[in-house]
Amino acid sequence: SSYSSETSFDSGMSDNTSTQLVFVAQTVEHVYLWDSVPWTIKEWSSPRDQILLLRARILSPQSWSNHLAVNDNPLGVSRPPHRSTNSVASSPMTTSKIAIRYGGDQGLACYSFQLTTRLAHTAWLASLVQGTLAAARNIGHAKFDCVWKNQECYLTIHLERGFILTDSKSGKDLWTHPYNTLSASNDDGAKLLWLQFRGSPHEDEFVLHVNPKVVVFTIHNFLSAKLQLIGKSVQ
């Protein structure tokens, strides 16, 4: 389900994909995918794919013409041809798409959902966007193992406190930065993450055990949830 180019991730588009029907369910913290409607408890507990909303970035590119039509179900998912089965017969039509760019433990994946009605697009987009914000509020924090200045640590992204770096051995907090001190971030797309905080002369470099995009998406969702809470309190 992953595409090779950065452009494909950002746009939710990729050449050479086929569309297949899927059954999708969204919960408080996850999106689950099955090849068909699950009928037993075992099938419900064994989805084909699962997406943790806290680690997801929701994209909604403008509608474009697509020659793979989904006629009997409002939601289909595009995947690379070597992993797809039962491709849907085609007839030219214009569809809306929603892409979920996901940072999982095994790396990055991009799911491109094709919807046949504007109503379905609006409903799914609103549900997914609000779902990521709700997941951030419900979970509250996320920890990531890393190496900082040759020291084993874990970086915590906290909804209220911001960024917390803790020594893995002693459990002692090395530093804390609130969100409003973050001035820049960057990553190499593989294992390195750089964060620049105001008042600090140098960037902090983290060698991560997961793809840095996992942390970037998590930061983005916590920031969005934080801004939403601030907006509600102002109103």
Side-chain angles (χ1 to χ4, degrees), residues 207-226:
V207 182
L208 298 165
H209 298 291
V210 295
N211 190 289
K213 294 297 183 186
V214 176
V215 185
V216 171
F217 295 166
T218 301
I219 293 172
H220 178 269
N221 287 326
F222 274 124
L223 279 170
S224 298
K226 183 76 170 176

Side-chain angles (χ1 to χ4, degrees), residues 20-201:
Q20 62 184 113
L21 297 177
V22 292
F23 182 81
V24 181
Q26 180 181 342
T27 66
V28 176
E29 296 179 2
H30 292 84
V31 171
Y32 297 101
L33 283 74
W34 292 265
D35 290 318
S36 58
V37 180
W39 289 103
T40 66
I41 294 177
K42 182 178 180 181
E43 290 174 347
W44 274 108
S45 62
S46 304
R48 186 185 68 184
D49 291 299
Q50 57 179 312
I51 299 168
L52 182 61
L53 285 169
L54 183 63
R55 296 182 173 189
R57 179 185 176 195
I58 311 301
L59 302 170
S60 179
Q62 293 181 347
S63 300
W64 61 86
S65 179
N66 190 301
H67 296 289
L68 294 170
V70 181
N71 298 315
D72 301 320
N73 192 305
L75 190 62
V77 60
S78 295
R79 304 172 67 85
H82 69 276
R83 288 192 58 186
S84 64
T85 57
N86 301 325
S87 296
V88 181
S90 63
S91 61
M93 66 178 298
T94 299
T95 60
S96 295
K97 291 193 176 184
I98 296 174
I100 299 180
R101 193 179 178 198
Y102 175 58
D105 291 336
Q106 305 304 317
L108 295 180
C110 188
Y111 299 84
S112 180
F113 295 95
Q114 177 176 296
L115 303 105
T116 55
T117 68
R118 181 175 296 179
L119 180 62
H121 179 275
T122 301
W124 273 103
L125 181 61
S127 181
L128 290 169
V129 170
Q130 292 303 316
T132 59
L133 299 178
R137 293 194 302 269
N138 291 334
I139 296 173
H141 69 278
K143 294 182 179 181
F144 301 96
D145 292 327
C146 63
V147 175
W148 175 79
K149 295 184 177 180
N150 297 318
Q151 188 173 352
E152 290 288 342
C153 304
Y154 57 86
L155 177 66
T156 301
I157 316 300
H158 196 282
L159 180 62
E160 299 298 334
R161 298 176 60 191
F163 303 87
I164 307 164
L165 188 69
T166 306
D167 180 83
S168 297
K169 294 181 179 179
S170 67
K172 179 182 178 180
D173 290 346
L174 301 176
W175 49 251
T176 302
H177 290 288
Y179 289 113
N180 60 7
T181 62
L182 179 67
S183 59
S185 65
N186 200 1
D187 66 86
D188 67 349
K191 65 177 182 179
L192 297 178
L193 173 70
W194 297 277
L195 298 177
Q196 177 73 57
F197 297 100
R198 280 193 290 271
S200 178

